[in-house]
Amino acid sequence: MTAPTAPAPDAQLYDFRRPPWIGRDRRAILDGIHTRLLPTLGQVITTHLRQAVTLTLREAAMVTFGEIRDGLATPCVTYIVPLPGDTGDGLVIVEPALALSLVDRLFGGQGDPGDRPATLTALEQAVLGHLVQGFLAALRHGYRDIATFAPGPIRFEEIVERIEVVGRHARVYLLALDLQAGGTAGRMEIILPAGLLDAFIHGATADLALATAEPPRVLVESHVRAAQVPVVVRLPGFKISARDGATLAPGQVLETNHSFHGNVELHVNGRRLFVGALGRQQGHVGLRVLAPVDSTTPTPSRVMRRTEAP
């Protein structure tokens, strides 16, 4: 009579690239934190966009940083998050198409940026950066019992080779989120150094209050007001005959009856918007804005004549 054999244990899949990094009890705690955190993160984006947002958790896993960076392409939309200590820095990645749509909505559009380059302007980087900062503040508050971190001023980066928040083979914590707001959809990823979660894995806790932030509309307005816009002052156009133009040579002088102290045009980003007058103020050349102009009206031209240099 043969002895009964013990039942074989159920086979379980094992991912060697992403092995289990915490026990079941800790995983259950983390799942509960995410359940409470997602509505808060969604509310941050809703407040900025002034539209209802659905945010879902696609993945929460421990991976290597090289795996994250290999999935990026230049130009990318990332914000480097300086963190104190020697664990490394954090990273927020926004899918480029989603970033363009969010920026368009933040400036009052419908979320359709059209056919435009993926690169963000400095103003767009700053405005989107405030949404990211609000996102980080909510995440920091939601994780206050498992990961204590105080991020410094974030920095935008679009060149993949310049993103070195931790070593290539270092472990990082990936929180991948799917965002849906009307016709706007895409993915955001938050990357934190694995060292930030060591205390949680070993049972320690921390307490950290949520940082306050200014209303999103105030932040957008402050950046718009502080943005530097190139302004060019031009004298009205001149005309010269084809005959004189064909025989121009060094040393010749072009004369016109236009006075230096007459009216000039102000061009903002290549568009003719205002008429102004040149003068002096406290020893400096000054410009007074007189009136707006219709950009569709052609610029008046004056006839020039060529004379020989004395």
Side-chain angles (χ1 to χ4, degrees), residues 4-303:
T5 58
D10 294 335
Q12 296 182 354
L13 295 178
Y14 188 89
D15 189 343
F16 286 91
R17 294 180 62 192
R18 299 183 179 183
W21 52 281
I22 59 174
R24 289 184 179 181
D25 57 337
R26 292 289 163 180
R27 185 72 193 192
I29 295 174
L30 194 60
D31 290 342
I33 290 174
H34 290 155
T35 300
R36 296 190 301 270
L37 180 60
L38 284 178
T40 304
L41 294 177
Q43 184 59 41
V44 171
I45 304 179
T46 297
T47 303
H48 280 76
L49 300 186
R50 301 180 296 280
Q51 181 180 11
V53 170
T54 301
L55 204 63
T56 56
L57 177 62
R58 174 191 289 260
E59 183 180 18
M62 194 72 74
V63 299
T64 63
F65 177 64
E67 184 177 349
I68 297 295
R69 208 176 78 160
D70 289 345
L72 299 176
T74 302
C76 57
V77 180
T78 64
Y79 288 88
I80 296 175
V81 185
L83 298 173
D86 56 0
T87 59
D89 293 332
L91 188 67
V92 176
I93 304 172
V94 185
E95 196 174 42
L98 174 62
L100 293 178
S101 183
L102 290 176
V103 165
D104 186 71
R105 287 186 179 275
L106 288 170
F107 282 101
Q110 300 299 316
D112 182 11
D115 186 15
R116 55 158 291 181
T119 302
L120 300 182
T121 66
L123 176 58
E124 292 170 338
Q125 295 169 17
V127 171
L128 183 60
H130 273 294
L131 188 153
V132 171
Q133 286 177 327
F135 215 69
L136 289 171
L139 180 72
R140 176 187 179 190
H141 179 65
Y143 275 26
R144 64 190 181 279
D145 293 329
I146 64 172
T148 303
F149 63 96
I154 60 177
R155 176 172 62 86
F156 180 83
E157 184 55 70
E158 64 180 359
I159 308 298
V160 174
E161 289 73 19
R162 296 178 182 174
I163 303 175
E164 291 286 354
V165 293
V166 294
R168 177 175 177 81
H169 300 290
R171 294 183 310 140
V172 294
Y173 174 51
L174 164 67
L175 190 66
L177 304 167
D178 288 331
L179 184 149
Q180 179 76 41
T184 298
R187 181 171 176 172
M188 295 180 64
E189 295 180 350
I190 301 172
I191 312 299
L192 295 175
L196 288 179
L197 296 174
D198 284 345
F200 167 64
I201 294 174
H202 291 90
T205 59
D207 188 16
L208 192 60
L210 173 65
T212 58
E214 294 185 65
R217 295 180 67 88
V218 175
L219 296 173
V220 172
E221 179 181 354
S222 65
H223 275 279
V224 170
R225 291 182 178 278
Q228 295 185 355
V229 179
V231 177
V232 178
V233 177
R234 298 180 180 176
L235 297 174
F238 300 105
K239 290 182 179 179
I240 187 172
S241 68
R243 179 178 180 181
D244 287 343
T247 57
L248 285 176
Q252 293 178 338
V253 178
L254 299 177
E255 291 186 352
T256 178
N257 59 355
H258 180 75
S259 171
F260 176 75
H261 295 288
N263 292 347
V264 294
E265 299 173 347
L266 275 74
H267 291 246
V268 181
N269 283 336
R271 296 178 55 197
R272 184 166 61 97
L273 297 182
F274 301 97
V275 174
L278 292 173
R280 289 191 173 275
Q281 177 69 23
Q282 297 180 352
H284 300 282
V285 176
L287 175 67
R288 174 180 294 176
V289 177
L290 299 178
V293 296
D294 184 358
S295 58
T296 61
T297 304
T299 301
S301 300
R302 291 174 170 79
V303 178

